[in-house]
Amino acid sequence: MSGPTPLKGASSLSPIRATPIKFDPLDENLDGLLESNRRWAQEVKEQQPEFFKNINLKQEPKILWIGCSDSRVPAEQILQLGPGEIFVHRNIANVVANADLNCLSVVQYAVEVLKVQHIIVCGHYNCGGVAAASGHGQYGLIDNWLRNIKDVYRLHHHELDSIENDTTRFRKLVELNATNSAENLCHSTIVQNAWKNGQNLTIHAWTYDLSDGHARRLAYRAKDNTTMEYIYNVSE
C-alpha cells in the first residue's frame, strides 16, 4: 500500500511524540486532562508554529479506518499518523452492517466528500465483542448488535467448528468478522458507485494483535467489483 499524502504542516507530528499521561480517577472535574491538553498544544506550536492554522482550514485524509471501540486500539497511534491524516469510525467489534446509518454516513462522507483512497476494516485479537458473540450469554441491548457476528459464525461454522483449539478458533472468527465487514463495504452502493465513476478506492481487511502491537493484512483486498458475487453488483 502506498503511503498517504500528509496534510501540510502535519507530516512530522506523530501522536506518540508527546508523553502520555495516566488518567487519575480522583480527578472528578477532569482538570488534569485539560492541563495535559494545554501542554500538548504548546508543544505542537513549538514544533510546528503553523500546525493548528493549517488543519483548521481543511482535512485531507487519504484513509478511512473502521475499527473497534476498544480503548487499546487507537488508530492514529497504531499507524503513527498525526491529526488530519486518517478519518476514523469505531464501534463494538468493527462491524459494518448494511442497516447501520451511522457507519454508512461516515463511509459516504469519506468516499464522496473527502475522496479517501483506502478504507481499512481492522479487527483485533482478544476482542470482547467477538468473544461475546461466539458464546451463548445474554448481555442486553448489545445482543442485537452481536447478531451480526453470530451470522458470520453461522456462515463459516464448518470451518470454525473444525478448529479444535479455542484460541485459534477465536482468532479465526476475528479475521472472518473483519473480512465480512470489508465485503459488506464493497456491497454498498457508496463504494460501488465510487468504482463505477472511476474513483481510486481500495478496501482492506486487517487485524491488530494486542500482544505484540502489530497490524497485519488479511487475504481480503478489493479495488473494484470483480471479486464480488454478481448478485451484489449495482445496475449500470
Side-chain angles (χ1 to χ4, degrees):
M1 182 178 72
S2 59
T5 302
L7 182 68
K8 182 180 179 182
S11 58
S12 63
L13 183 69
S14 170
I16 207 169
R17 287 172 67 95
T19 302
I21 66 168
K22 182 73 174 177
F23 174 64
D24 181 5
L26 299 179
D27 184 7
E28 295 184 357
N29 293 323
L30 306 183
D31 294 329
L33 296 183
L34 291 174
E35 180 182 350
S36 178
N37 165 258
R38 301 302 185 270
R39 288 197 303 268
W40 170 77
Q42 183 59 38
E43 291 176 8
V44 171
K45 289 177 183 177
E46 292 172 358
Q47 294 170 23
Q48 299 183 37
E50 299 298 311
F51 178 79
F52 290 114
K53 177 182 177 181
N54 289 331
I55 67 169
N56 185 51
L57 298 176
K58 59 181 177 179
Q59 61 169 331
E60 296 178 326
K62 303 303 180 186
I63 298 173
L64 167 61
W65 171 282
I66 300 178
C68 183
S69 297
D70 193 302
S71 61
R72 302 166 295 176
V73 192
E76 295 88 347
Q77 192 158 343
I78 290 171
L79 301 182
Q80 284 296 278
L81 293 175
E85 295 196 63
I86 183 168
F87 204 57
V88 176
H89 175 76
R90 296 169 71 177
N91 59 46
I92 299 297
N94 48 270
V95 168
V96 176
N98 59 12
D100 181 5
L101 298 183
N102 184 0
C103 180
L104 293 179
S105 296
V106 171
V107 173
Q108 181 178 17
Y109 185 79
V111 172
E112 297 181 4
V113 179
L114 298 177
K115 304 296 183 182
V116 298
Q117 296 176 2
H118 301 274
I119 303 179
I120 300 170
V121 180
C122 189
H124 70 97
Y125 301 118
N126 201 26
C127 177
V130 174
S134 62
H136 302 282
Q138 274 196 4
Y139 304 96
L141 180 64
I142 196 174
D143 293 334
N144 299 280
W145 184 254
L146 297 179
R147 260 287 306 276
N148 293 290
I149 309 172
K150 287 183 179 290
D151 287 342
V152 174
Y153 196 114
R154 174 178 55 82
L155 291 171
H156 299 274
H157 72 93
H158 291 299
E159 177 182 5
L160 291 166
D161 291 344
S162 69
I163 302 174
E164 295 184 2
N165 183 273
D166 291 342
T167 299
T168 303
R169 188 187 317 111
F170 179 22
R171 290 172 68 89
K172 187 62 179 181
L173 181 56
V174 167
E175 296 169 0
L176 290 170
N177 180 56
T179 298
N180 183 75
S181 287
E183 289 177 332
N184 283 344
L185 273 177
C186 295
H187 299 164
S188 71
T189 55
I190 301 166
V191 170
Q192 291 202 38
N193 285 336
W195 285 337
K196 187 168 63 174
N197 294 331
Q199 188 169 337
N200 179 19
L201 179 63
T202 305
I203 312 300
H204 309 258
W206 284 14
T207 56
Y208 174 69
D209 198 331
L210 292 166
S211 67
D212 61 16
H214 290 177
R216 295 177 171 86
R217 295 187 185 96
L218 297 176
Y220 189 85
R221 179 176 177 270
K223 55 192 315 181
D224 54 45
N225 65 4
T226 58
T227 60
M228 298 189 315
E229 295 185 30
Y230 77 95
I231 191 62
Y232 293 110
N233 290 339
V234 296
S235 300
E236 294 293 337

